[in-house]
Amino acid sequence: MEVIPAIDLLGGRVVRLLRGDYQRATVYAHDPVALAQTMREAGVTRLHVVDLDAARDPAAGNRDLVARLAGLPGLAVEVGGGIRDRAAAARWFDLGVRLVILGTLAAEQPEAAIAIAEEWPRRVLVGLDVRGTTVATRGWLTEGGDGPLALLRRFAGAPLGGVVHTRIERDGTLEGIDAGGLAEVVAASPHPVIASGGVAGLADVEAARAAGAAGVIVGKAYYEGRLDLSAAIALASAGEG
């Protein structure tokens, strides 16, 4: 299982939102590139980057900054936030991003998202951002439509790189992951599932692994000194091979 630190960008700074609320943002770093280099030195090989500005307004965003992150050697960058058509996905791939996350597009126009996945096999992640029993979209500001398992079924035959399952109610709370909900998604998905939301420490890394996740995204626990990345990586990879 991979340990994937989150770098959420708002106005060029690294922040964490509480349950996706833009009015409850805590700033943790003013130099995202230096932070990513520190993470790489701890053994990280993959970054989860969310452009929160673009999630609210696709015309805005931190494109140059994400491109710098994608250009760092030894780090694979997955990026989400405001990627709502083929052209937006293509721009990120041209800038060196390894994977793109489609959330709103996947929920609202699944056939368009599948077409992107077919053009770039294994390089598209579906963002399954769940609040209650529904999938949230547009920067988590709206919700409705298919439930998470119904949305998963729509993508069963698509050549995805995986699914990012986020429990919005737990995101940024340090309350622990929703292990039961995660296990349900893992069982229903033919694609690798990455767990996100609520990680508080090493126990949650182990719980994600036990639930069958292919990866776990860590954010606030790292930023507040509750989780050591090197220790988390060692725990996640224990027993491999």
Side-chain angles (χ1 to χ4, degrees):
M1 186 179 73
E2 289 187 275
V3 174
I4 311 168
I7 292 183
D8 293 358
L9 300 173
L10 187 64
R13 300 174 297 179
V14 178
V15 307
R16 295 298 291 166
L17 307 184
L18 181 63
R19 300 186 178 95
D21 186 347
Y22 281 78
Q23 301 305 311
R24 303 178 75 180
T26 302
V27 178
Y28 285 104
H30 293 269
D31 188 342
V33 175
L35 175 63
Q37 291 170 328
T38 299
M39 292 172 169
R40 181 182 57 188
E41 291 166 3
V44 168
T45 59
R46 180 171 170 179
L47 292 178
H48 178 81
V49 179
V50 179
D51 190 335
L52 292 169
D53 294 293
R56 286 194 297 189
D57 178 6
N62 299 271
R63 183 171 303 277
D64 291 344
L65 185 51
V66 178
R68 289 176 61 200
L69 292 170
L72 293 173
L75 286 174
V77 169
E78 62 191 41
V79 65
I83 306 172
R84 296 178 190 161
D85 55 34
R86 179 199 176 279
R91 283 194 295 270
W92 282 127
F93 289 134
D94 288 344
L95 288 171
V97 166
R98 181 71 56 83
L99 300 119
V100 299
I101 306 164
L102 305 181
T104 297
L105 186 69
E108 297 181 354
Q109 301 178 56
E111 293 305 318
I114 289 169
I116 294 172
E118 290 174 341
E119 186 170 355
W120 287 280
R122 314 301 171 197
R123 297 186 67 186
V124 170
L125 303 171
V126 164
L128 199 66
D129 302 325
V130 182
R131 180 185 285 119
T133 60
T134 61
V135 175
T137 59
R138 301 185 178 272
W140 299 353
L141 300 175
T142 63
E143 57 188 75
D146 287 343
L149 298 186
L151 185 59
L152 276 179
R153 288 193 288 272
R154 288 176 175 261
F155 287 88
L160 301 179
V163 173
V164 180
H165 174 244
T166 302
R167 289 298 313 189
I168 295 172
E169 298 96 333
R170 297 184 182 233
D171 196 61
T173 67
L174 299 173
E175 292 178 355
I177 68 167
D178 175 14
L182 172 61
E184 184 178 36
V185 170
V186 168
S189 176
H191 307 293
V193 176
I194 299 167
S196 175
V199 172
L202 291 178
D204 290 304
V205 174
E206 177 57 34
R209 184 180 174 218
V216 60
I217 293 170
V218 300
K220 191 172 184 177
Y222 165 73
Y223 291 117
E224 299 207 347
R226 300 188 181 204
L227 182 140
D228 177 86
L229 283 178
S230 297
I233 292 167
L235 177 61
S237 59
E240 287 188 357

